[in-house]
Each structure stands twice: as structure tokens, then as C-alpha cells.
């Protein structure tokens, strides 16, 4: 074999090694420390907008089978679930180096049935009773106070890669019009304050009492009338109660945000959301 051919082969092998090492390092980093998350829907407006890109702190609550990364790309026929990699650790509802989340945390978790990653706000702790009465959440029989704070306004247009249009409290409006939602500051037990949005009274604003089981948590979206969350049972495409082991991590900070159909469309990036804290 000629020296030139041998050099080319060595260079090719080194390139493959570099790629493999990079993938291994990235996999370890994503499994143990931070997982990227792209906001696909408006269920957490205005805290999180469609197109926000953030890293999830996986060290916040310790580790379980759900800490293993999933790679689900239906367009390319790729469906590698966390259970495919770490399913041996599933089933005991415990965590390694486990830390209890705080009420009011914005949490990424695995849906108990579909395995898809969801992001919602933690409202109910184990043992709590939760109920919605006329758009107000009651926790253990006491209302979480809401202080009116004007309106949340956005342009009626397709949003994000899925092209969904927002729902509005000011009636049906055409593309290019201004869509309003009533805005309030909600205070949870313990003092956490955050913005919630309201479109109008619907079934999910008046519910029975949910009793959160031990080892489970109750989640809701801040965009209360546009969120499939713990108010809906898993069997009807809701979330239901989420086991402790299904928590992936806490959303702490938005890295950047894109208002377009792709994060690569840099001209649609929102300049006021770079490194914005999630509250």
C-alpha cells in the first residue's frame, strides 16, 4: 500500500473516531446534565413562547430511567425511546440522588403513556387536593389568588413548525389581527408568582377535586385554556398524575427564541428573550 493511501486511511479512521467520541460526549452531557428542549406549542404562554429554545437542568431532581435521552423523528422513521436504553430502571418510582421539586417549578417530564416530553408548571404536590373553580385553582381548599394584569397580545398567524394559530378571548379574528388573552398574576402557596392566561370559561375551568397520589405530581399549563395537562386523564390525551420517576428536569433559562418556522431563520429570532430566566 502506498504511503499516500495509508495516510488517507488513517485520516479517515481518525475522523470516524472523532465523530464517535463527540457523540459519546454529547450523549453523556445530555443524559447527566442538560437536555435541549424546543417549545412546540402555546400551552405555557406567556412564560414560554412557541419557538423558545432552552436547556433543561437534569441535575435538579436527580436521575431515573427518564433521564436517558429519547430520539423520536417520525419523518425519518427514528423512534428510540428512553425505555429502550434505560428501561431496566423503570417501575420503582424512585430516583438516584433524587431531589423533591418545588411547587411552581417549570418541569419537563415524560408523558406516562405516550413517552413524549411535555413541559408544564408544577401545581400539585403528593397528597394535595386540586380543583378548578371558575378559572381559579384551589389547592387544599384554598384559592391561589389571581391579580388582573391587563391582556396578552399577539398577532394572529401560524406559529412554529406546526403552524398552529392561537386562540383568542376577543373573538374570531383574521390573520394579521391582534389576538388577546386575559392576563393575571397567580400566587401559589409558598409565594411563587407567575403569569396565567385566560380565554374564557370552558369545561377545564370547572372541575371536580383531584387527589394527588403519593409519589406523583399535578401539572398545568400557564395558558390555562389551551393546555392538555393533569386536568385531563391520560386516556383522553391528557397527562393525569405524573410519577416522580417521569420527571426529566427543570427549565431554568431560555437560551434564544425564534418566531419563525425554524430556529435557523435567524431573522425571526426574538432579541428580548436571549438568556431570559424562566419564572
Amino acid at each position: 500500500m502506498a504511503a499516500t493511501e495509508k495516510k488517507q486511511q488513517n485520516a479517515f479512521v481518525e475522523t470516524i473516531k472523532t465523530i464517535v467520541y463527540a457523540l459519546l460526549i454529547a450523549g453523556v452531557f445530555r443524559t447527566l446534565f442538560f437536555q435541549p428542549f424546543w417549545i412546540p406549542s402555546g400551552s405555557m404562554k406567556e412564560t414560554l413562547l412557541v419557538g423558545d429554545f432552552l436547556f433543561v437542568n437534569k441535575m435538579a431532581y436527580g436521575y431515573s430511567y427518564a433521564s436517558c435521552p429519547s430520539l423520536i423523528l417520525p419523518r425519518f422513521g427514528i423512534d428510540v425511546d428512553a425505555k429502550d436504553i434505560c428501561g431496566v430502571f423503570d417501575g420503582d418510582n424512585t430516583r438516584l440522588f433524587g431531589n423533591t421539586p418545588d411547587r411552581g417549578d417549570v418541569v419537563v417530564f415524560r408523558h406516562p403513556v405516550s413517552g413524549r416530553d411535555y413541559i408544564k408548571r408544577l401545581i400539585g404536590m403528593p397528597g394535595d387536593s386540586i380543583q378548578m373553580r371558575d378559572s381559579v385553582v384551589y389547592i387544599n381548599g384554598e384559592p391561589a389568588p389571581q391579580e388582573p394584569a391587563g391582556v396578552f397580545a399577539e398577532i394572529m398567524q401560524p406559529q412554529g413548525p406546526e403552524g398552529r394559530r392561537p386562540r383568542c378571548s376577543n373573538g374570531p379574528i383574521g390573520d394579521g389581527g391582534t389576538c388577546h388573552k386575559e392576563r393575571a398574576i397567580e400566587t401559589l402557596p409558598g409565594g411563587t408568582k407567575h403569569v396565567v392566561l385566560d380565554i374564557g370559561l370552558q369545561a377545564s375551568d370547572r372541575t371536580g377535586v383531584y387527589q394527588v397520589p403519593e409519589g406523583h405530581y399535578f401539572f398545568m399549563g400557564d395558558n390555562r385554556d389551551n393546555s392538555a395537562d393533569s386536568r385531563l386523564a391520560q386516556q383522553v390525551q391528557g397527562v393525569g398524575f405524573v410519577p416522580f420517576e417521569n420527571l426529566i428536569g427543570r427549565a431554568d433559562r431560555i437560551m434564544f427564541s425564534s418566531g419563525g418556522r425554524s430556529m435557523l431563520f435567524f431573522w425571526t429570532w426574538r432579541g428580548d428573550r436571549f438568556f431570559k430566566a424562566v419564572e
Side-chain angles (χ1 to χ4, degrees):
M1 179 182 297
T4 302
E5 291 181 356
K6 189 172 182 179
K7 280 186 178 181
Q8 289 176 342
Q9 282 191 355
N10 289 340
F12 178 76
V13 170
E14 290 303 317
T15 300
I16 295 299
K17 284 182 179 180
T18 300
I19 293 172
V20 170
Y21 292 153
L23 291 174
L24 287 173
I25 292 170
V28 170
F29 183 84
R30 180 173 174 176
T31 299
L32 296 180
F33 303 112
F34 296 96
Q35 175 176 319
F37 194 86
W38 180 266
I39 303 300
S41 74
S43 69
M44 282 296 292
K45 290 177 182 176
E46 68 180 61
T47 304
L48 298 172
L49 303 180
V50 177
D52 282 351
F53 181 83
L54 49 87
F55 281 100
V56 179
N57 181 357
K58 303 182 84 167
M59 298 175 284
Y61 310 133
Y63 305 96
S64 71
Y65 86 95
S67 302
C68 285
S70 298
L71 184 60
I72 302 173
L73 300 171
R75 181 183 301 179
F76 302 101
I78 297 174
D79 189 352
V80 180
D81 188 79
K83 284 189 177 181
D84 297 332
I85 305 170
C86 297
V88 67
F89 302 111
D90 179 26
D92 59 1
N93 202 24
T94 61
R95 307 182 72 88
L96 181 65
F97 309 125
N99 294 311
T100 303
D102 294 323
R103 193 192 311 274
D105 283 357
V106 176
V107 180
V108 173
F109 58 88
R110 282 175 51 85
H111 189 285
V113 175
S114 72
R116 296 296 193 267
D117 292 349
Y118 276 53
I119 185 166
K120 307 289 180 185
R121 190 176 299 275
L122 175 53
I123 298 295
M125 307 294 284
D128 282 348
S129 65
I130 307 292
Q131 185 180 24
M132 291 295 292
R133 303 182 196 171
D134 296 329
S135 301
V136 175
V137 60
Y138 281 68
I139 303 174
N140 298 322
E142 297 294 327
Q146 291 187 4
E147 179 183 351
V151 299
F152 172 76
E154 58 185 336
I155 302 300
M156 172 59 74
Q157 61 185 0
Q159 297 181 347
E162 298 177 2
R164 298 181 184 178
R165 287 173 169 80
R167 294 176 58 208
C168 315
S169 62
N170 55 331
I173 59 174
D175 281 3
T178 303
C179 175
H180 289 168
K181 296 177 181 60
E182 303 305 314
R183 185 176 183 271
I185 306 297
E186 181 175 84
T187 303
L188 297 175
T192 298
K193 296 178 181 288
H194 59 276
V195 173
V196 294
L197 303 181
D198 183 68
I199 299 169
L201 281 177
Q202 58 186 40
S204 58
D205 293 321
R206 294 171 174 167
T207 71
V209 177
Y210 303 95
Q211 192 68 41
V212 186
E214 289 300 320
H216 292 71
Y217 296 89
F218 190 97
F219 290 92
M220 294 173 63
D222 291 349
N223 190 3
R224 291 284 164 80
D225 294 337
N226 194 35
S227 175
D229 50 39
S230 291
R231 290 172 290 178
L232 291 174
Q234 299 160 11
Q235 291 77 10
V236 290
Q237 298 185 358
V239 170
F241 304 121
V242 178
F244 184 38
E245 67 180 353
N246 282 45
L247 307 189
I248 294 174
R250 185 181 64 218
D252 290 333
R253 192 168 296 274
I254 299 163
M255 303 308 294
F256 69 89
S257 180
S258 171
R261 296 189 64 110
S262 170
M263 67 178 181
L264 301 178
F265 297 169
F266 62 87
W267 57 91
T268 66
W269 289 5
R270 303 177 177 110
D272 61 339
R273 298 184 72 78
F274 282 93
F275 308 113
K276 179 180 175 65
V278 176
E279 299 176 349

